[in-house]
Amino acid sequence: MSESSPDDRHLCAIIEAYDAAWNQHALEAIIACHTLDSVFESHTTAESATGHLAIRRMVARYFRTFPDLAFTIRRMYARPGLVVQEWTAHATHTVPILTRQGLAAPTGRVLTWNGVDVMPMAGRLIVRKDAYVDSASLQRQIEAARLPPSEGTP
């Protein structure tokens, strides 16, 4: 999973623990991995959170939206002061979600989408997290679940 030099493997271990905290929905463990003035920017939802309190609120909202949210890390790259990882998220659509077409009622379907996190580091802590998500794929899955079956489909 990790592609790094021996000197940067400690960064991978730190981020692997961070990823485990996300999969356990361990909010305080997630926050503890960020600097006090860390910035978490979602380039999908166009929201940005600065500092522990704002990041805690943003992450808690993600967990409320997707109570079973889990990530599979596909690749991780580490260099001095920087970790980049590619991931796939899995979550059941159990609450209304705002889409381009308006509010999408829960479908009960498992949604899967890919993303990339870019995380500059200061020692063992995340200074900034920029999350880039394949939002088009996620939107298509939500919208497809809302469409009635086509004629001739049982």
Side-chain angles (χ1 to χ4, degrees):
M1 166 178 27
S2 302
E3 297 181 21
S4 61
S5 69
D7 295 337
D8 298 318
R9 289 202 181 117
H10 74 280
L11 288 177
C12 290
I14 292 165
I15 298 303
E16 286 167 356
Y18 178 71
D19 295 337
W22 271 88
N23 283 337
Q24 296 163 7
H25 293 207
L27 191 52
E28 294 310 314
I30 292 167
I31 299 307
C33 293
H34 287 264
T35 62
L36 291 175
D37 60 349
S38 183
V39 175
F40 183 169
E41 187 161 357
S42 168
H43 295 274
T44 302
T45 61
E47 65 183 316
S48 182
T50 301
H52 283 188
L53 181 60
I55 293 170
R56 181 181 291 108
R57 287 180 182 151
M58 191 164 119
V59 173
R61 191 169 49 256
Y62 293 156
F63 292 155
R64 283 192 306 275
T65 302
F66 295 112
D68 63 346
L69 178 64
F71 296 89
T72 302
I73 306 306
R74 296 192 324 269
R75 280 180 285 283
M76 186 182 301
Y77 308 93
R79 299 294 176 264
L82 179 68
V83 177
V84 176
Q85 65 180 359
E86 300 173 37
W87 47 262
T88 300
H90 314 272
T92 307
H93 181 196
T94 60
V95 300
I97 298 174
L98 188 60
T99 71
R100 295 174 298 201
Q101 306 299 321
L103 202 58
T107 63
R109 294 185 180 190
V110 175
L111 306 174
T112 302
W113 63 96
N114 293 327
V116 173
D117 291 335
V118 178
M119 296 174 283
M121 306 288 292
R124 302 178 57 84
L125 297 175
I126 299 166
V127 174
R128 181 178 178 90
K129 177 176 179 172
D130 286 278
Y132 300 90
V133 174
D134 180 0
S135 57
S137 170
L138 183 57
Q139 291 278 342
R140 279 192 304 272
Q141 291 174 70
I142 293 167
E143 291 168 6
R146 295 171 50 183
L147 299 175
S150 60
E151 282 189 32
T153 304

